[in-house]
Amino acid sequence: MPESPRPDRITDLTRLKAFTNPLRVRLYRLLYAAGSATASQLGAQVGEAPSLVSYHLRKLAEQGFVTEAAGRSGDGRERWWQVSSEEGWGFRESDLAGTPEGAAAVDAVTRSLVESRSAQYRAYLDQSSAWGREWTDAAFGAEWLLDLTATELAEMEQELQALSRRWRERGKASRAAGDTVGREHVSVHLYGFPFRP
Protein backbone atom coordinates (compact mmCIF):
# COMPACT_ATOMS: atom_id res chain seq x y z
CA MET A 1 0.00 0.00 0.00
CA PRO A 2 1.52 3.38 -0.98
CA GLU A 3 2.18 5.81 1.83
CA SER A 4 -0.36 8.63 2.16
CA PRO A 5 0.86 12.16 1.49
CA ARG A 6 1.78 13.94 4.70
CA PRO A 7 2.11 17.59 5.63
CA ASP A 8 5.61 19.05 5.37
CA ARG A 9 7.06 18.34 8.82
CA ILE A 10 9.17 21.24 10.02
CA THR A 11 12.20 20.06 11.96
CA ASP A 12 14.41 23.12 11.43
CA LEU A 13 13.92 26.04 13.79
CA THR A 14 14.73 28.61 11.09
CA ARG A 15 11.82 27.34 8.99
CA LEU A 16 9.42 27.41 11.94
CA LYS A 17 10.43 30.99 12.76
CA ALA A 18 8.99 32.04 9.39
CA PHE A 19 5.58 31.67 11.06
CA THR A 20 6.33 33.58 14.26
CA ASN A 21 4.93 36.61 12.44
CA PRO A 22 1.10 36.41 12.66
CA LEU A 23 0.67 38.19 9.31
CA ARG A 24 2.56 35.36 7.59
CA VAL A 25 0.17 32.84 9.13
CA ARG A 26 -2.79 34.83 7.77
CA LEU A 27 -1.23 35.21 4.33
CA TYR A 28 -0.42 31.51 4.11
CA ARG A 29 -3.99 30.55 5.08
CA LEU A 30 -5.52 32.97 2.57
CA LEU A 31 -3.19 31.78 -0.19
CA TYR A 32 -3.96 28.15 0.62
CA ALA A 33 -7.70 28.84 0.33
CA ALA A 34 -7.39 30.94 -2.85
CA GLY A 35 -5.10 28.53 -4.67
CA SER A 36 -3.09 31.44 -6.05
CA ALA A 37 -3.09 35.19 -5.58
CA THR A 38 -1.00 38.32 -5.97
CA ALA A 39 0.41 40.44 -3.18
CA SER A 40 -2.12 43.16 -4.10
CA GLN A 41 -5.04 40.76 -3.79
CA LEU A 42 -3.82 39.42 -0.44
CA GLY A 43 -3.00 42.94 0.78
CA ALA A 44 -6.60 44.01 0.16
CA GLN A 45 -7.83 41.10 2.27
CA VAL A 46 -5.53 41.78 5.24
CA GLY A 47 -5.52 45.59 5.03
CA GLU A 48 -1.78 45.88 4.36
CA ALA A 49 0.28 47.46 1.57
CA PRO A 50 1.17 45.13 -1.30
CA SER A 51 4.87 45.89 -0.75
CA LEU A 52 4.67 44.60 2.84
CA VAL A 53 2.70 41.54 1.76
CA SER A 54 5.22 40.88 -1.01
CA TYR A 55 8.06 41.05 1.53
CA HIS A 56 6.38 38.46 3.75
CA LEU A 57 5.59 36.20 0.80
CA ARG A 58 9.26 36.28 -0.21
CA LYS A 59 10.22 35.30 3.36
CA LEU A 60 7.81 32.35 3.19
CA ALA A 61 9.26 31.43 -0.21
CA GLU A 62 12.80 31.47 1.21
CA GLN A 63 11.72 28.70 3.59
CA GLY A 64 9.89 26.72 0.90
CA PHE A 65 6.30 27.35 2.05
CA VAL A 66 5.15 29.30 -1.02
CA THR A 67 6.28 29.47 -4.65
CA GLU A 68 5.51 31.54 -7.68
CA ALA A 69 2.42 30.24 -9.48
CA ALA A 70 3.56 29.15 -12.93
CA GLY A 71 1.70 30.59 -15.90
CA ARG A 72 -0.47 33.01 -13.92
CA SER A 73 1.21 36.33 -14.67
CA GLY A 74 -0.41 37.87 -17.72
CA ASP A 75 1.75 40.94 -18.17
CA GLY A 76 4.66 40.17 -15.85
CA ARG A 77 4.05 43.20 -13.65
CA GLU A 78 2.78 41.29 -10.67
CA ARG A 79 3.85 37.94 -9.30
CA TRP A 80 1.28 35.26 -8.54
CA TRP A 81 1.94 33.05 -5.55
CA GLN A 82 0.71 29.64 -4.38
CA VAL A 83 1.46 27.35 -1.45
CA SER A 84 4.18 24.80 -2.15
CA SER A 85 2.17 21.80 -1.01
CA GLU A 86 -1.53 21.11 -0.68
CA GLU A 87 -0.68 18.92 2.31
CA GLY A 88 0.33 22.02 4.27
CA TRP A 89 2.87 21.89 7.07
CA GLY A 90 3.15 20.87 10.68
CA PHE A 91 5.68 20.32 13.43
CA ARG A 92 6.25 18.30 16.54
CA GLU A 93 7.15 20.23 19.65
CA SER A 94 9.70 17.57 20.56
CA ASP A 95 11.67 18.27 17.34
CA LEU A 96 12.11 21.97 18.07
CA ALA A 97 11.59 22.88 21.73
CA GLY A 98 14.86 21.50 23.14
CA THR A 99 16.32 25.00 23.60
CA PRO A 100 14.83 28.17 25.11
CA GLU A 101 14.81 29.74 21.63
CA GLY A 102 13.08 26.70 20.16
CA ALA A 103 10.53 26.55 22.98
CA ALA A 104 9.75 30.25 22.49
CA ALA A 105 9.29 29.80 18.72
CA VAL A 106 7.04 26.74 19.19
CA ASP A 107 4.94 28.65 21.72
CA ALA A 108 4.68 31.76 19.50
CA VAL A 109 3.69 29.81 16.38
CA THR A 110 1.22 27.57 18.24
CA ARG A 111 -0.47 30.55 19.86
CA SER A 112 -0.55 32.42 16.55
CA LEU A 113 -2.22 29.43 14.86
CA VAL A 114 -4.81 29.13 17.63
CA GLU A 115 -5.54 32.86 17.45
CA SER A 116 -5.85 32.76 13.66
CA ARG A 117 -8.24 29.81 13.81
CA SER A 118 -10.26 31.40 16.61
CA ALA A 119 -10.51 34.68 14.69
CA GLN A 120 -11.78 32.81 11.65
CA TYR A 121 -14.44 31.04 13.71
CA ARG A 122 -15.47 34.27 15.45
CA ALA A 123 -15.87 35.91 12.02
CA TYR A 124 -18.17 33.06 10.99
CA LEU A 125 -20.23 33.46 14.19
CA ASP A 126 -20.52 37.21 13.57
CA GLN A 127 -21.82 36.56 10.04
CA SER A 128 -23.65 33.25 10.51
CA SER A 129 -27.13 34.64 9.87
CA ALA A 130 -25.99 35.83 6.42
CA TRP A 131 -25.07 32.27 5.42
CA GLY A 132 -28.64 31.03 5.54
CA ARG A 133 -30.22 28.00 7.14
CA GLU A 134 -28.61 25.39 4.88
CA TRP A 135 -25.10 26.44 5.96
CA THR A 136 -25.89 27.18 9.60
CA ASP A 137 -27.54 23.75 9.94
CA ALA A 138 -24.52 22.08 8.30
CA ALA A 139 -21.92 23.95 10.39
CA PHE A 140 -20.92 22.27 13.62
CA GLY A 141 -18.93 22.65 16.77
CA ALA A 142 -18.23 19.61 18.86
CA GLU A 143 -16.15 18.36 21.73
CA TRP A 144 -15.61 14.72 22.55
CA LEU A 145 -14.01 13.62 25.81
CA LEU A 146 -12.17 10.36 25.19
CA ASP A 147 -9.92 8.06 27.21
CA LEU A 148 -6.90 7.34 25.00
CA THR A 149 -3.21 6.61 25.20
CA ALA A 150 -0.70 8.87 23.43
CA THR A 151 -0.31 6.18 20.76
CA GLU A 152 -4.07 6.02 20.22
CA LEU A 153 -4.30 9.80 19.97
CA ALA A 154 -1.55 9.77 17.32
CA GLU A 155 -3.42 7.04 15.42
CA MET A 156 -6.62 9.08 15.58
CA GLU A 157 -4.76 12.09 14.13
CA GLN A 158 -3.59 9.97 11.20
CA GLU A 159 -7.16 8.79 10.53
CA LEU A 160 -8.44 12.37 10.66
CA GLN A 161 -5.72 13.45 8.21
CA ALA A 162 -6.80 10.69 5.78
CA LEU A 163 -10.47 11.65 6.17
CA SER A 164 -9.70 15.32 5.53
CA ARG A 165 -7.58 14.45 2.51
CA ARG A 166 -10.43 12.36 1.05
CA TRP A 167 -12.93 15.21 1.40
CA ARG A 168 -10.44 17.76 0.01
CA GLU A 169 -9.89 15.60 -3.09
CA ARG A 170 -13.65 15.13 -3.50
CA GLY A 171 -14.20 18.90 -3.41
CA LYS A 172 -11.39 19.55 -5.88
CA ALA A 173 -12.70 16.92 -8.29
CA SER A 174 -16.22 18.32 -8.09
CA ARG A 175 -15.01 21.87 -8.71
CA ALA A 176 -12.87 20.68 -11.65
CA ALA A 177 -15.94 18.94 -13.11
CA GLY A 178 -17.87 22.23 -12.96
CA ASP A 179 -19.91 21.40 -9.87
CA THR A 180 -19.59 24.81 -8.21
CA VAL A 181 -23.18 25.65 -7.25
CA GLY A 182 -23.37 25.99 -3.49
CA ARG A 183 -19.68 25.11 -3.05
CA GLU A 184 -17.81 27.24 -0.51
CA HIS A 185 -14.48 27.10 1.31
CA VAL A 186 -15.01 25.20 4.57
CA SER A 187 -12.67 25.33 7.54
CA VAL A 188 -12.59 22.39 9.94
CA HIS A 189 -10.71 22.80 13.20
CA LEU A 190 -10.04 19.80 15.38
CA TYR A 191 -7.83 19.70 18.44
CA GLY A 192 -6.73 16.68 20.37
CA PHE A 193 -4.85 17.14 23.63
CA PRO A 194 -4.64 15.57 27.08
CA PHE A 195 -6.25 17.08 30.15
CA ARG A 196 -6.89 16.09 33.72
CA PRO A 197 -10.22 17.01 35.33
Side-chain angles (χ1 to χ4, degrees), residues 157-194:
E157 187 265 342
Q158 290 175 358
E159 289 180 20
L160 291 170
Q161 287 277 356
L163 178 67
S164 174
R165 192 175 301 108
R166 189 181 87 219
W167 281 97
R168 183 177 66 229
E169 292 305 317
R170 179 177 168 173
K172 280 177 46 181
S174 295
R175 188 174 292 279
D179 177 10
T180 59
V181 175
R183 192 166 299 282
E184 299 285 351
H185 291 295
V186 173
S187 186
V188 178
H189 302 177
L190 296 170
Y191 302 94
F193 54 91

Side-chain angles (χ1 to χ4, degrees), residues 85-135:
S85 168
E86 283 190 351
E87 297 303 320
W89 56 273
F91 61 92
R92 297 244 185 251
E93 183 176 341
S94 59
D95 289 338
L96 299 158
T99 65
E101 180 184 24
V106 165
D107 184 65
V109 171
T110 302
R111 290 178 186 277
S112 181
L113 290 170
V114 168
E115 179 52 38
S116 176
R117 292 169 184 154
S118 296
Q120 185 181 32
Y121 190 55
R122 284 191 303 270
Y124 163 74
L125 293 175
D126 290 343
Q127 303 164 0
S128 65
S129 62
W131 281 101
R133 183 175 180 170
E134 180 182 22
W135 280 103

Side-chain angles (χ1 to χ4, degrees), residues 12-30:
D12 177 76
L13 187 56
T14 303
R15 289 192 76 213
L16 182 68
K17 284 182 175 182
F19 287 106
T20 56
N21 183 304
L23 179 57
R24 291 184 193 155
V25 172
R26 289 180 64 201
L27 293 172
Y28 181 90
R29 295 181 89 231
L30 289 169

